[in-house]
Amino acid sequence: MVIIMEIETSSQKKAKIINKITRWQKKLTKLTDKKDKNYLDEYKISALMEKIALHQKLIVTFEEPEDEAKIKRALIKEEHKRHQILHGNITQAIIIICFPLAVYALFNSFYGLLDSIMASSIKNAAAASGAINISNIMVISQIKSMISAFGAGIAGGGAVLVSRYYGAANLPEAKKTASNMILVSLITSLLILILLVPLASIILKIAQVPQITDSVILYFRLILVELIFVSINNIFIGLEKIKGNSKKIFILNIAVLIIKLVLNLIFVYAIRVDSIIYLEIATIFGQAFLLVYGCVVMLSKKNILQITIKNMQPHKKYIIPVLRLSIPIFLGKFVMSLGKTTVNALCGSYYSEATNGLIVGALGVSNNLSGLVTNTTNVFEEGESTIVSQNIGNKNLDRTISTFFRTLIIVAIISLIGYISVRFIFLDQLTSLFSIGKNDSNMMSTYIKEIFVFDSLSIPSLGLTSALLGLLYGYGKTFLSSILNFSRVGIRIISLIVCHSIGLNYKAAGISMGISNILISIMALGFLIYFLVNLKKNGYNGLRLTKKQGEN
């Protein structure tokens, strides 16, 4: 009976696919026969042909045993996504890979703001014993970013190599590289945990966390545990992104946000906990869910980039190239976070007394407001590098340049809309959410606004640099990207010190950001021109640009 039901179900699925193909073929015929075709018509024709080809391959699998058929169908779909990245419409590929992740990044940024609001409401966290005020949260979040840069660097550098093998259809090497990424990430994460847990209080003192209590120390140690999960999850997300499974990543990340949000609401408003450590516990539960799901997918035979214990055996052929690309990425992200931590410490030292201790919190909130847009555009950096890497593996440099320029246009549009929205339309509503006490509410809002006037310049600046970094990462030019990130931090710190030395008040925290963002934009433009001229003149690894720029 079960067998009959399975056969009937397979037959029904096959019939549905045939009906779809028939409808698509009719549409294709109409579009093909159309005399005056525009760009949109050509795009529709290309998309329909790809759909028909994919589903014709899927039909054949229904004649095979169900277990084998499921695996083959999964592999056919992965191969189709790979084909789209290498030969399909570039703009469509960028949108398919990046748009779901960009929406998630936006939601995650809003969640970060909400998380801070809930943290500040835990028994009036600004004053309660064992709780953390907004300034503590902002400082600790930068320490977290510094440490998580290890995992992000491994995921980013390894993804570039896996993408190239994947683009060249060399799946055995792609699987071995991915497996060694997991191994390196596990080893580094455990080492970090072992080394930093005993040093938690010292690290918090060096970072000048305003209120160090047992609760704060425990909170920081829980973050270290969470980062082990995050490092593996970053690799899982990177591998799924390579396969074009952005929709799956989006759904999973939204599930993680929902888990964290529900638990936070229970902890803060139902149980009414008196410590922020419960917010971190909620985060760990969310990341643990993603870790379990990710491990199941990565170890599955249906996974075209399956992770196996056999492939996880350390081999310098895979580990050294991963580290060679990962270390510069790590250093860039680490230095960026270290720079923010240093700026927070300097601002606290320079202006804490004058602002009643609110300056670090205001600076952190201002950064989070910019992050509503910049975190969204940064997603395109990662998606772009994936597409660029795969097309290099497929020996097509023209599509890499087309990918960059189309990513730049998309990011520029998002940055412009985001800048206008956050800077001019919703600023008052957003800043009004961050009050840590009735007496300080107006002051906090004023500080945030005055700093954000200059900090908001990071939105267009980071939009340009994210598109450039995506191109550089894709080509493995992580050294150039590190120079850009180092320069951003150096300029920011120097400009803050200079502004303070000439007698500027707390607004110098924002002015220094504005100066660094403008200078980095100019620097990024110079890097872009240098890279493109050098690529056209010398090519890359024996490959050269042709006269015809990437079609589609």
Side-chain angles (χ1 to χ4, degrees):
M1 188 68 170
V2 175
I3 296 173
I4 293 173
M5 290 178 66
E6 287 182 355
I7 293 172
E8 289 175 348
T9 304
S10 297
S11 300
Q12 289 171 354
K13 288 180 180 178
K14 184 177 178 180
K16 287 181 180 179
I17 292 176
I18 292 173
N19 289 334
K20 284 182 179 180
I21 292 174
T22 303
R23 290 199 308 269
W24 291 334
Q25 285 174 333
K26 289 179 180 178
K27 288 182 181 179
L28 181 61
T29 301
K30 286 182 181 180
L31 287 170
T32 306
D33 293 341
K34 190 176 178 180
K35 290 183 179 180
D36 299 321
K37 299 184 188 70
N38 55 33
Y39 176 80
L40 184 58
D41 292 327
E42 295 292 346
Y43 166 75
K44 288 180 178 178
I45 290 171
S46 174
L48 283 170
M49 290 176 66
E50 288 184 13
K51 280 184 178 180
I52 291 169
L54 167 65
H55 286 76
Q56 284 174 338
K57 290 179 181 178
L58 292 175
I59 286 176
V60 178
T61 64
F62 287 98
E63 306 297 331
E64 300 176 3
E66 186 61 20
D67 290 339
E68 294 180 17
K70 285 181 179 179
I71 295 174
K72 281 192 176 182
R73 282 196 287 273
L75 295 177
I76 287 171
K77 289 178 181 179
E78 301 296 351
E79 180 61 28
H80 173 71
K81 291 172 184 175
R82 174 180 171 275
H83 181 272
Q84 189 173 40
I85 290 173
L86 299 179
H87 306 288
N89 183 279
I90 295 174
T91 305
Q92 184 185 28
I94 295 170
I95 292 173
I96 287 174
I97 291 176
C98 299
F99 184 73
L101 301 178
V103 174
Y104 162 71
L106 180 62
F107 286 168
N108 195 39
S109 297
F110 274 117
Y111 173 81
L113 296 176
L114 184 61
D115 202 28
S116 298
I117 294 168
M118 286 192 288
S120 66
S121 67
I122 296 177
K123 285 194 175 181
N124 190 19
S129 175
I132 306 175
N133 60 21
I134 290 179
S135 294
N136 290 78
I137 296 168
M138 297 307 168
V139 175
I140 292 175
S141 69
Q142 293 306 329
I143 302 173
K144 180 179 178 179
S145 297
M146 287 167 55
I147 300 169
S148 65
F150 285 94
I154 293 168
V160 171
L161 294 173
V162 175
S163 292
R164 289 189 187 173
Y165 286 130
Y166 193 74
N170 191 344
L171 294 182
E173 294 297 287
K175 291 178 181 179
K176 290 176 182 177
T177 303
S179 296
N180 274 262
M181 284 168 62
I182 296 288
L183 179 64
V184 173
S185 183
L186 279 172
I187 293 172
T188 54
S189 297
L190 289 172
L191 285 175
I192 290 171
L193 184 67
I194 293 169
L195 291 173
L196 298 189
V197 164
L199 301 175
S201 59
I202 297 174
I203 293 170
L204 295 176
K205 287 178 183 177
I206 293 174
Q208 294 191 15
V209 173
Q211 185 184 15
I212 301 175
T213 63
D214 291 340
S215 179
V216 176
I217 295 171
L218 178 57
Y219 172 71
F220 179 65
R221 285 172 174 163
L222 287 174
I223 284 177
L224 295 176
V225 175
E226 176 209 341
L227 291 180
I228 297 179
F229 297 173
V230 171
S231 64
I232 303 300
N233 290 341
N234 282 341
I235 293 176
F236 165 63
I237 290 171
L239 295 177
E240 290 301 303
K241 200 182 302 175
I242 290 169
K243 296 184 290 182
N245 291 336
S246 296
K247 185 177 179 181
K248 179 195 288 186
I249 299 169
F250 170 71
I251 294 171
L252 287 170
N253 281 324
I254 291 299
V256 172
L257 286 184
I258 291 172
I259 291 171
K260 293 195 293 185
L261 181 59
V262 169
L263 289 175
N264 281 342
L265 290 173
I266 292 171
F267 288 146
V268 176
Y269 301 109
I271 302 177
R272 297 187 179 278
V273 297
D274 62 354
S275 173
I276 199 172
I277 63 172
Y278 292 95
L279 300 185
E280 180 56 28
I281 290 172
T283 301
I284 290 175
F285 270 104
Q287 291 296 335
F289 159 76
L290 183 57
L291 177 67
V292 172
Y293 183 91
C295 288
V296 171
V297 171
M298 289 190 290
L299 297 172
S300 171
K301 291 182 179 180
K302 295 180 183 179
N303 184 11
I304 198 170
L305 292 175
Q306 183 188 16
I307 304 297
T308 63
I309 300 298
K310 180 181 177 181
N311 286 338
M312 206 180 288
Q313 294 177 2
H315 198 294
K316 65 179 181 180
K317 178 183 177 182
Y318 307 107
I319 291 179
I320 292 177
V322 167
L323 292 177
R324 188 180 295 123
L325 287 176
S326 300
I327 289 174
I329 295 176
F330 148 68
L331 287 175
K333 293 179 180 295
F334 179 82
V335 169
M336 281 284 289
S337 298
L338 178 62
K340 288 182 179 180
T341 303
T342 303
V343 167
N344 285 340
L346 287 174
C347 287
S349 174
Y350 293 157
Y351 310 114
S352 182
E353 185 176 346
T355 60
N356 196 27
L358 300 178
I359 184 63
V360 175
L363 182 60
V365 171
S366 176
N367 289 336
N368 283 348
L369 291 178
S370 295
L372 290 173
V373 184
T374 57
N375 290 341
T376 304
T377 55
N378 285 344
V379 165
F380 286 84
E381 167 192 319
E382 299 168 5
E384 178 193 1
S385 67
T386 297
I387 297 172
V388 168
S389 296
Q390 290 192 37
N391 279 283
I392 290 174
N394 196 44
K395 304 184 186 303
N396 192 340
L397 297 191
D398 295 296
R399 281 178 67 87
T400 66
I401 303 305
S402 292
T403 299
F404 163 71
F405 281 112
R406 297 188 191 198
T407 302
L408 182 61
I409 292 170
I410 294 171
V411 166
I413 293 171
I414 294 174
S415 296
L416 178 62
I417 295 172
Y419 177 76
I420 293 172
S421 299
V422 180
R423 173 69 178 84
F424 298 104
I425 301 176
F426 299 113
L427 182 60
D428 289 338
Q429 293 89 330
L430 289 169
T431 54
S432 66
L433 298 173
F434 291 91
S435 58
I436 60 174
K438 293 181 180 179
N439 295 331
D440 293 327
S441 177
N442 291 332
M443 289 175 59
M444 185 71 162
S445 180
T446 300
Y447 295 149
I448 294 171
K449 288 178 183 178
E450 291 181 343
I451 292 173
F452 186 69
V453 167
F454 303 98
D455 189 15
S456 60
L457 293 174
S458 65
I459 294 174
S461 169
L462 288 176
L464 169 63
T465 54
S466 67
L468 173 60
L469 289 175
L471 181 66
L472 295 178
Y473 287 152
Y475 272 85
K477 303 294 184 181
T478 51
F479 179 70
L480 286 177
S481 63
S482 295
I483 293 176
L484 202 61
N485 286 326
F486 273 80
S487 300
R488 182 188 297 277
V489 172
I491 293 171
R492 174 75 198 284
I493 293 174
I494 292 171
S495 58
L496 176 61
I497 294 172
V498 171
C499 288
H500 175 67
S501 66
I502 62 177
L504 293 181
N505 62 9
Y506 63 87
K507 293 181 183 179
I511 294 172
S512 64
M513 283 189 282
I515 293 172
S516 67
N517 288 327
I518 292 171
L519 292 178
I520 286 299
S521 294
I522 296 171
M523 188 174 178
L525 186 60
F527 272 40
L528 174 61
I529 294 171
Y530 166 77
F531 177 79
L532 293 178
V533 170
N534 186 62
L535 183 65
K536 187 172 184 179
K537 182 179 178 181
N538 301 317
Y540 179 79
N541 287 351
L543 303 174
R544 289 188 174 275
L545 294 169
T546 64
K547 291 183 180 179
K548 293 181 180 179
Q549 279 302 306
E551 67 282 357
N552 295 322

